[in-house]
């Protein structure tokens, strides 16, 4: 199972009891020490919309819009295609950081439309914000991890990680990442060659390094929340939970291929069917979420609702047509509350 190698022999006898107690604490609202050590002030660019302040900002018809969280009062903010083909932008301190659709460089522009600036000469990806700095990977697939400091106006390499990374995620004061190379292929049938990757972590100061073994589905193969690490094992598609304080680990469910978020005491996941399902953290029971289609890479939880856009992968894996459902709002059980925006196909409004 996916667990830190340095503690490989300690876990199984007391692991189930300790994990059950931890999950019960989470269910009742208590957070373990690992979660309390640092606030998770990181936000990531995982799609074409995100919450900033009291609004949901989203890229639509090659412009940046905002709306209330209930979908009302849609307002155009910028005549700038901040998401583009990369679907990557973040907002920090009233500034939009995004990947330029033509050059692939990291750019910035104020929410008021001023101060547009190119920040890198290289192509970048995987944007996120941590401690008010913008982190990014140099390159299209794999590359070194850098960060832009808006105070000094400089770009610096994240020194604790030597070599290239294929993905990363910052949670609290810990960075989770993989250095498994991404193999480029132009054939949709070759998706499987990049299905598995080795997951590692360290504190942001480079200490407490851990290796969790291989996980499924790369960045959709793990989640970190409330001091718990949830992983999908690459070999048998088992969803496991690991307490990051005690390093105790236990299995939750089988038949899991991707995991997208945690809400209402459940992990939202997909398997081989056309609909997503949620896995109870209390007992591992699966419940269908039929309102959510197969894949949901744009999955966010704001207050009592899930906001998501969904791909058309469940309809035959037609990767030649980039159809993305408009932003929808769901309750914490995955039931559809309402559609907030129309669908988009290849960057244009779509009526399907």
């Amino acid at each position: 199972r996916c667990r830190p190698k340095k503690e490989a022999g300690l876990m199984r006898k007391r692991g189930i009891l300790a994990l059950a107690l931890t999950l019960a604490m989470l269910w009742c609202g208590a957070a373990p020490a690992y979660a309390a050590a640092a606030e998770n002030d990181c936000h990531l660019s995982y799609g074409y919309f995100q919450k900033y302040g009291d609004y949901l900002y989203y890229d639509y018809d090659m412009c940046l819009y905002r709306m209330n969280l209930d979908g009302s009062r849609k307002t155009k903010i910028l005549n700038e295609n901040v998401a583009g083909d990369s679907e990557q932008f973040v907002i920090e301190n009233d500034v939009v950081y995004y990947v330029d659709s033509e050059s692939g460089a990291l750019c910035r522009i104020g929410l008021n439309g001023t101060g547009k600036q190119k920040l890198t000469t290289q192509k970048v990806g995987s944007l996120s914000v941590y401690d008010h700095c913008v982190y990014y990977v140099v390159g299209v697939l794999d590359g070194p991890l850098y960060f832009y400091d808006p105070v000094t106006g400089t770009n610096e390499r994240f020194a604790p990680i030597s070599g290239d990374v294929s993905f990363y995620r910052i949670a609290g004061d810990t960075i989770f990442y993989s250095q498994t190379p991404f193999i480029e292929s132009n054939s949709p049938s070759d998706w499987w060659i990049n299905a598995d990757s080795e997951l590692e972590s360290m504190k942001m100061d480079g200490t407490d390094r851990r290796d969790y073994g291989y996980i499924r589905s790369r960045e959709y193969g793990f989640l970190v929340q409330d001091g718990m690490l949830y992983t999908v094992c690459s070999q048998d598609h088992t969803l496991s939970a690991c307490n990051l304080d005690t390093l105790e680990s236990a299995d939750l469910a089988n038949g899991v291929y991707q995991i997208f978020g945690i809400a209402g005491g459940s992990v939202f996941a997909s398997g081989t069917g056309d609909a997503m399902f949620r896995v109870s953290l209390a007992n591992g029971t699966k419940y269908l979420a039929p309102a959510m289609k197969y894949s949901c890479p744009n999955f966010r939880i704001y207050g009592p609702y899930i906001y998501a856009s969904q791909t058309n992968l469940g309809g035959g894996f037609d990767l030649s047509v980039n159809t993305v459902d408009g932003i929808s709002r769901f309750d914490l059980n995955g039931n559809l509350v309402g559609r907030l925006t129309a669908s988009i196909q290849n960057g244009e409004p779509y009526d399907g």
Side-chain angles (χ1 to χ4, degrees), residues 132-177:
H132 307 295
C133 292
V134 181
Y135 284 71
Y136 59 89
V137 174
V138 174
V140 179
L141 298 176
D142 309 323
L145 181 63
Y146 274 70
F147 64 91
Y148 169 77
D149 187 338
V151 175
T152 63
T154 58
N155 293 279
E156 299 180 37
R157 182 159 185 171
F158 182 67
I161 298 180
S162 60
D164 295 345
V165 300
S166 53
F167 69 82
Y168 73 97
R169 189 177 305 164
I170 303 171
D173 61 351
T174 302
I175 181 168
F176 295 81
Y177 63 97

Side-chain angles (χ1 to χ4, degrees), residues 44-50 57-59 82-83 86-90 220 297-300 309:
L44 296 116
S45 169
Y46 261 54
Y48 69 95
F49 73 91
Q50 63 190 258
Y57 287 80
Y58 62 102
D59 187 88
V82 299
S86 67
E87 294 190 354
Q88 296 187 40
F89 76 96
V90 292
Y220 300 119
N298 303 312
F299 186 106
R300 293 175 173 81
S309 64

